[in-house]
């Protein structure tokens, strides 16, 4: 009988252990949960602060991407200018070495020939008595384009100004380094269409850049990327 009472009165070991004692793992788990909750709270607060900071400084995200975009447009301008200048310079070196003092080379019969001519005037042979003036104008164009590049955010304008800059540099190099003297040098022209003035690749770049600028102006696109309507 005593043995039976002892068996009946003894509680179930798993339940008793669960209700009266903490298991070793439970203390650690509860501590970790508490620590994680404490750690998570500052993280949430920092996220809230970041969101508030983002809401209060909405103009900064717009300004930051604008700077790299402007730098890319400037890079395009100088890349186009360098390409146009190099193409003009190499073509003139070849013409002076291979074509000057030689008969013209017919490209398309009489309609298009390559003929080396020294031009002391402006593009297409105009104004040969004003070589120094044209030199000053070319240098002024280069300075204006360099100053305008700081506010450049339009890709078409970057291409147009790059063509102008490369062409102006090409002809200015001739004005400075070719005979008869500094700032009075004659420009090397060699593209001779029938019934038209002889010109070079620098002249072509200047004309193409000017035409593109006129078209952009008619469309209302400014160098800074804004579009205006008259």
């Amino acid at each position: 009988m005593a043995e039976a009472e002892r068996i009946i009165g003894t509680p179930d070991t798993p339940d008793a252990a669960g209700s009266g004692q903490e298991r070793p793992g439970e203390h650690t788990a509860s501590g970790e949960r508490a620590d994680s909750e404490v750690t998570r709270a500052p993280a949430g607060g920092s996220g809230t602060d970041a969101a508030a900071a983002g809401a209060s400084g909405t103009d900064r995200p717009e300004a930051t991407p604008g700077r790299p975009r402007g730098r890319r447009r400037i890079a395009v301008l100088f890349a186009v200018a360098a390409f146009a200048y190099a193409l003009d310079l190499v073509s003139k070196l070849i013409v002076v070495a291979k074509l000057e003092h030689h008969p013209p080379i017919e490209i398309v019969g009489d309609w298009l020939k390559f003929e080396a001519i020294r031009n002391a005037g402006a593009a297409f042979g105009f104004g040969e008595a004003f070589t120094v003036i044209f030199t000053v104008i070319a240098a002024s164009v280069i300075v204006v384009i360099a100053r305008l590049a700081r506010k450049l955010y339009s890709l078409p304008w970057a291409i147009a100004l790059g063509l102008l800059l490369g062409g102006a540099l090409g002809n200015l190099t001739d004005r400075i380094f070719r005979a008869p003297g500094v700032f009075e040098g004659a420009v090397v022209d060699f593209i001779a269409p029938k019934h038209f003035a002889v010109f070079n690749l620098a002249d072509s770049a200047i004309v193409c850049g000017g035409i593109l600028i006129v078209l952009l102006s008619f469309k209302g696109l400014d160098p800074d990327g804004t579009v205006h309507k008259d």
Side-chain angles (χ1 to χ4, degrees), residues 85 87-96 100 117-122 131 134-135 138 142 166-190 199-203:
Y85 177 71
L87 201 61
D88 177 71
L89 184 62
V90 171
S91 65
K92 288 175 179 175
L93 291 175
I94 295 174
V95 166
V96 171
E100 200 168 33
I117 293 177
R118 296 295 182 108
N119 173 24
T131 305
F134 292 134
T135 303
I142 294 171
L169 284 172
N171 284 339
L172 184 61
T173 301
D174 285 353
R175 305 285 188 193
I176 296 175
F177 295 105
R178 296 195 185 276
V182 179
F183 299 122
E184 296 180 354
V187 175
V188 176
D189 291 335
F190 61 95
F199 58 97
N200 55 39
L201 295 182
D203 298 333

Side-chain angles (χ1 to χ4, degrees), residues 1-11:
M1 187 65 179
E3 184 66 20
E5 290 177 356
R6 184 181 64 79
I7 295 173
I8 294 172
T10 303

Side-chain angles (χ1 to χ4, degrees), residues 121-136:
F124 307 108
F126 298 114
E128 295 186 0
F130 304 98
T131 305
V132 177
I133 295 177
F134 292 134
T135 303
V136 173

Side-chain angles (χ1 to χ4, degrees), residues 6 11 15 22 27 30 43 75 84-85 88 108 110 115-116 120 122 129 153 162 164 181-183 190 195 216:
R6 184 181 64 79
D15 293 337
E22 283 187 6
H27 179 72
S30 61
Y85 177 71
D88 177 71
V108 186
D110 291 337
E115 181 179 4
Y153 288 90
L164 283 179
V182 179
F183 299 122
F190 61 95
H195 305 307
L216 294 174

